Amino acid sequence: MRHRLPHTPAGKYPSPWLRLLILSTTLLGINYIVWRWIGSLNWAAWWIAVPLVIAETYSVIDSLLFGLTMWRLLRRDPPPPPPEGATVDVLITTYNEPIDMVLDTAEAAVAIHYPHRTWILDDGDRGELKEAAAQRDIGYITRSASWSDKPRHAKAGNLNNALFETEGEYILILDADQVPAPEILDKTLGYFRDPEMALVQTPQYFHNVPFSDPLGSQAPLFYGPIQQGKDGWNAAYFCGSNAVLRREALMQLGIRGYVRAVEDGVRRTLYTARKILKKAAAQVDPGQPQVRAALESVRKAVRDARAQLREKRPLADITYEFQQRVDQAARSVVAADVSAMRADLEVIAALQQDPERTSTTLLFDDEALESLTTREWSPLGALESISAMVRAIDVGRDDEAQPMLPMATISVTEDMATCMRLHAQGWRSAYHHEILARGLAPDDVRTMLTQRLRWAQGTIQVMLRENPLVQKGLSLGQRLMYWATMWSYLAGFAALAYIAAPAIYLIFGIMPVQAYSWDFFGRLIPFLLLNQLMFIIISRGTPTWRGQQYSLALFPVWIRACVTAFRNVYFDRPLGFAVTPKTRQEAGAIPWHLVKWQLAAIAMLAVASVIGIVQLYFGVISVLGVGVNLFWVLFDVVILSVVFQAVRYRGHDPEGT
């Protein structure tokens, strides 16, 4: 880990008055939710009361995390000029986007003022694009032959391949549709005068979005106060495009990742060796003390090697010493019954020669390792097998196209995972709040849903595989800033309770609270008002309503993302990754089926409202109860109604606005 220097970026932080508002909102939220758990639950209807209070707890925590983010909202001062003589590679990632689009971005990249080299990273390996790039004197890179029959890791793999084909000190990463401004490097490279700066992220802005933003593409709250707040905690993170990164920082990640992979291989091999030795010891004749002593010496070598791993001894020293001790033990039992060992030697030879059982399969395939521990081994066979496994550790990672993978490959959102690892190593990041590239947002609801699903799946993958709350090297603020983003994608489950609770009351007259009392409203309403006031002040007129709508209206997408990511991480089920299309996909009939769950929720709430009003007319339920729940029904319907505009949207027509 790099040495973390004391550092406070120059800029403007929140006023004491805003922080007082944040603190007041926090106290009111905690007061409300504690009272809800202790003094208001209707345990007779626990099946809806408990899910609702869990959903409310989720929302209060979400509000607290937002307040914490805003506590250090940083509006940075302009950076200094770029460092002298810096070399830069501009990398444009593409897979199947229209060639004209890619070339437009590449030509704009060539026109960037600061000296640099522009490269098109074509994961589609298209000859036409290669020829067009050559005509324009633009660099062209596609995957090397080493990637054949190996995991490709989508965009992360594309970038990892290019990192070993280029050499600039800094890299500007652009998606195929993100056309950069000529001054993008002049405005961002100055941050790298700080030797600890690894990343500078700029906003993603889309020029094909109308003012109404029917698909919620612009995300002005995220590319504004939220990123600025994370920046204040040194947790502004990489968003995949429109960002400049320090090559040194990425390569350090690759080296550390390689070391971790080899270390994991050593650890698992030693674990397997211990089980093999136990099996072999059971086969030793009592009249063979020399053999028994040899096996015991290797068992001691296993214990010593595991202790050395814990002490962080150099891996090469650990494996070399262990190998020598195994070889010495093997020589001491060579005189044993060769006929009893012949079958073992055949197995070992097959393991070393079978192309389906490469050295790295021994290292990383749990099934292969387990198979070695279940067969009966003669002493020499056991020692030779252990020796073969240890020798396998010394070779490159044949399970990957490249031994080093600087960009994280644990998630389809390689950007967040990579940046979190950079922060864990002590590197810093910056968010530069100025639009320096303009891209294309989805032109139809299907593309938008594909995009949001992938974002959510990738974020949940990172949460499950490298939970920031337990990652070493991150500060408490960084842990919470990463967790806040991951936490937001759990909103789909809370939405179910918020939609169901008012419907259940209006239809069945069942309340999730003991009573709609002044005690209830006196705690809830002040919290809601101050929370909304904090939101309004922080957004400063930024149109954020669309984002608030989609945070609830996309509840089926968030739930699906959580379920599929969980199955992928723990059961190795594929996600079905798809590149977000950059051209319009929908044509013909309105695709109502894409929002069927939202429509079903709206229909249920409408029916519940009618039933509730009828029951009120006959005096079955109270006026206050109906009023409160009709208010929440109306709120839910207004939020969910965004899908009507979304499914009818067919792209922005500038001439028609």
Side-chain angles (χ1 to χ4, degrees):
M1 186 189 304
R2 295 178 63 85
H3 176 60
R4 193 184 300 278
L5 299 175
H7 183 74
T8 300
K12 184 180 179 181
Y13 288 90
S15 69
W17 294 110
L18 177 56
R19 287 184 169 178
L20 179 61
L21 176 60
I22 293 171
L23 183 60
S24 300
T25 305
T26 298
L27 294 175
L28 287 174
I30 293 173
N31 173 66
Y32 170 72
I33 205 62
V34 169
W35 175 80
R36 281 284 285 118
W37 278 101
I38 295 175
S40 71
L41 286 181
N42 179 12
W43 289 106
W46 64 267
W47 47 273
I48 182 59
V50 172
L52 180 60
V53 77
I54 290 174
E56 290 182 277
T57 304
Y58 167 86
S59 297
V60 169
I61 293 174
D62 194 50
S63 174
L64 301 186
L65 289 171
F66 179 75
L68 183 67
T69 305
M70 297 304 105
W71 188 264
R72 289 186 60 83
L73 187 149
L74 171 62
R75 295 183 172 89
R76 283 182 177 264
D77 292 339
E84 292 78 10
T87 58
V88 183
D89 289 314
V90 178
L91 306 183
I92 302 167
T93 59
T94 179
Y95 174 61
N96 61 359
E97 293 85 356
I99 289 177
D100 288 344
M101 175 191 294
V102 179
L103 292 175
D104 286 345
T105 300
E107 289 172 352
V110 170
I112 291 173
H113 293 156
Y114 192 88
H116 65 284
R117 181 71 193 275
T118 299
W119 302 86
I120 294 174
L121 314 185
D122 183 17
D123 230 8
D125 194 13
R126 292 167 286 181
E128 183 182 353
L129 181 54
K130 181 179 181 180
E131 182 179 348
Q135 291 172 356
R136 293 163 173 79
D137 195 28
I138 296 171
Y140 177 89
I141 299 175
T142 191
R143 301 288 184 114
S144 63
S146 61
W147 290 89
S148 300
D149 302 321
K150 299 290 173 63
R152 294 184 66 83
H153 302 305
K155 182 179 176 181
N158 194 7
L159 287 166
N160 282 330
N161 178 73
L163 284 171
F164 290 92
E165 301 287 336
T166 57
E167 56 186 23
E169 298 170 77
Y170 306 100
I171 58 173
L172 166 61
I173 296 177
L174 298 169
D175 283 345
D177 63 307
Q178 291 287 337
V179 178
E183 65 274 16
I184 187 170
L185 292 176
D186 295 298
K187 295 291 188 72
T188 54
L189 285 176
Y191 290 103
F192 292 98
R193 287 184 177 272
D194 175 0
E196 301 293 309
M197 187 65 68
L199 162 77
V200 178
Q201 177 68 55
T202 69
Q204 293 190 24
Y205 177 83
F206 306 103
H207 62 81
N208 64 327
V209 175
F211 179 77
S212 61
D213 195 8
L215 301 182
S217 298
Q218 292 292 20
L221 185 64
F222 178 78
Y223 288 112
I226 290 179
Q227 274 283 48
Q228 289 173 315
K230 292 179 185 293
D231 194 14
W233 292 100
N234 187 30
Y237 65 78
F238 180 32
C239 299
S241 182
N242 308 359
V244 185
L245 294 97
R246 187 188 295 267
R247 182 184 295 271
E248 176 193 357
L250 289 174
M251 299 311 290
Q252 282 191 14
L253 279 188
I255 293 169
R256 289 175 65 88
Y258 172 76
V259 171
R260 281 196 300 269
V262 175
E263 187 178 67
D264 183 60
V266 173
R267 184 176 292 106
R268 295 168 66 181
T269 296
L270 292 174
Y271 174 78
T272 303
R274 187 175 62 175
K275 297 181 71 173
I276 290 175
L277 288 168
K278 184 177 180 180
K279 283 271 187 180
Q283 308 302 313
V284 178
D285 190 281
Q288 295 180 299
Q290 185 179 5
V291 174
R292 187 175 296 277
L295 293 179
E296 182 57 35
S297 71
V298 177
R299 292 178 67 176
K300 185 176 186 304
V302 169
R303 292 194 296 271
D304 291 345
R306 296 180 72 183
Q308 291 167 357
L309 272 178
R310 291 191 294 270
E311 296 167 1
K312 302 297 181 182
R313 284 270 305 276
L315 293 175
D317 292 349
I318 296 173
T319 56
Y320 177 79
E321 180 182 331
F322 183 74
Q323 183 71 60
Q324 296 302 305
R325 294 172 70 173
V326 173
D327 290 345
Q328 182 179 355
R331 285 193 294 270
S332 69
V333 296
V334 165
D337 185 359
V338 175
S339 62
M341 305 173 194
R342 185 172 293 113
D344 294 340
L345 295 174
E346 290 174 355
V347 171
I348 296 164
L351 284 169
Q352 294 174 330
Q353 297 173 8
D354 186 351
E356 298 299 322
R357 289 290 187 196
T358 64
S359 59
T360 50
T361 303
L362 286 173
L363 278 176
F364 302 108
D365 188 333
D366 288 330
E367 183 179 350
L369 291 175
E370 184 63 26
S371 69
L372 297 180
T373 66
T374 55
R375 74 183 308 275
E376 299 296 330
W377 287 100
S378 68
L380 185 59
L383 296 177
E384 287 296 324
S385 175
I386 293 169
S387 181
M389 288 190 296
V390 176
R391 284 194 297 271
I393 295 170
D394 295 328
V395 302
R397 295 180 61 191
D398 291 340
D399 60 325
E400 294 284 0
Q402 300 173 164
M404 291 197 304
L405 299 171
M407 300 292 295
T409 59
I410 64 165
S411 164
V412 295
T413 53
E414 74 294 328
D415 40 23
M416 172 186 281
T418 299
C419 196
M420 189 167 70
R421 291 177 177 181
L422 288 171
H423 282 132
Q425 285 193 26
W427 291 98
R428 286 197 281 268
S429 64
Y431 174 67
H432 183 81
H433 189 51
E434 180 180 6
I435 296 170
L436 295 171
R438 296 171 183 265
L440 293 173
D443 262 343
D444 58 84
V445 69
R446 184 187 300 276
T447 304
M448 181 269 283
L449 293 175
T450 299
Q451 180 189 70
R452 305 298 169 82
L453 176 64
R454 190 181 78 249
W455 289 350
Q457 286 174 326
T459 302
I460 299 300
Q461 280 180 311
V462 178
M463 181 180 75
L464 297 176
R465 287 188 169 129
E466 295 187 1
N467 189 326
L469 296 180
V470 297
Q471 289 302 304
K472 295 180 180 179
L474 294 177
S475 68
L476 178 60
Q478 289 172 328
R479 295 170 195 264
L480 293 174
M481 291 303 100
Y482 278 105
W483 179 255
T485 299
M486 299 169 182
W487 180 260
S488 67
Y489 284 111
L490 303 178
F493 300 104
L496 293 179
Y498 288 139
I499 292 170
I504 288 171
Y505 176 81
L506 293 170
I507 296 173
F508 302 106
I510 297 174
M511 292 198 308
V513 297
Q514 290 183 1
Y516 291 120
S517 62
W518 288 112
D519 204 16
F520 173 73
F521 292 114
R523 297 172 188 271
L524 174 61
I525 293 177
F527 167 64
L528 292 179
L529 291 177
L530 258 65
N531 191 63
Q532 192 60 32
L533 178 61
M534 176 181 68
F535 199 87
I536 292 170
I537 291 175
I538 288 168
S539 62
R540 288 190 172 185
T542 301
T544 59
W545 171 242
R546 193 66 78 205
Q548 294 181 65
Q549 283 186 293
Y550 275 111
S551 66
L552 175 67
L554 292 183
F555 72 91
V557 175
W558 311 145
I559 293 173
R560 180 184 173 191
C562 291
V563 172
T564 54
F566 181 88
R567 293 167 62 190
N568 172 262
V569 171
Y570 293 110
F571 300 101
D572 202 27
R573 298 289 294 275
L575 289 177
F577 175 81
V579 175
T580 303
K582 301 298 184 184
T583 55
R584 193 173 305 174
Q585 302 296 302
E586 293 295 345
I590 297 174
W592 295 109
H593 64 284
L594 296 176
V595 293
K596 59 185 177 183
W597 296 111
Q598 292 91 333
L599 297 178
I602 291 173
M604 180 188 71
L605 291 170
V607 170
S609 299
V610 173
I611 294 175
I613 292 171
V614 170
Q615 294 200 86
L616 175 63
Y617 178 79
F618 287 103
V620 177
I621 51 181
S622 72
V623 174
L624 180 60
V626 171
V628 169
N629 284 279
L630 283 180
F631 170 81
W632 289 118
V633 165
L634 179 62
F635 180 81
D636 288 343
V637 170
V638 169
I639 291 286
L640 295 172
S641 65
V642 70
V643 302
F644 291 103
Q645 189 176 1
V647 295
R648 299 174 66 87
Y649 182 63
R650 290 296 185 273
H652 181 39
D653 179 11
E655 296 182 0
T657 58

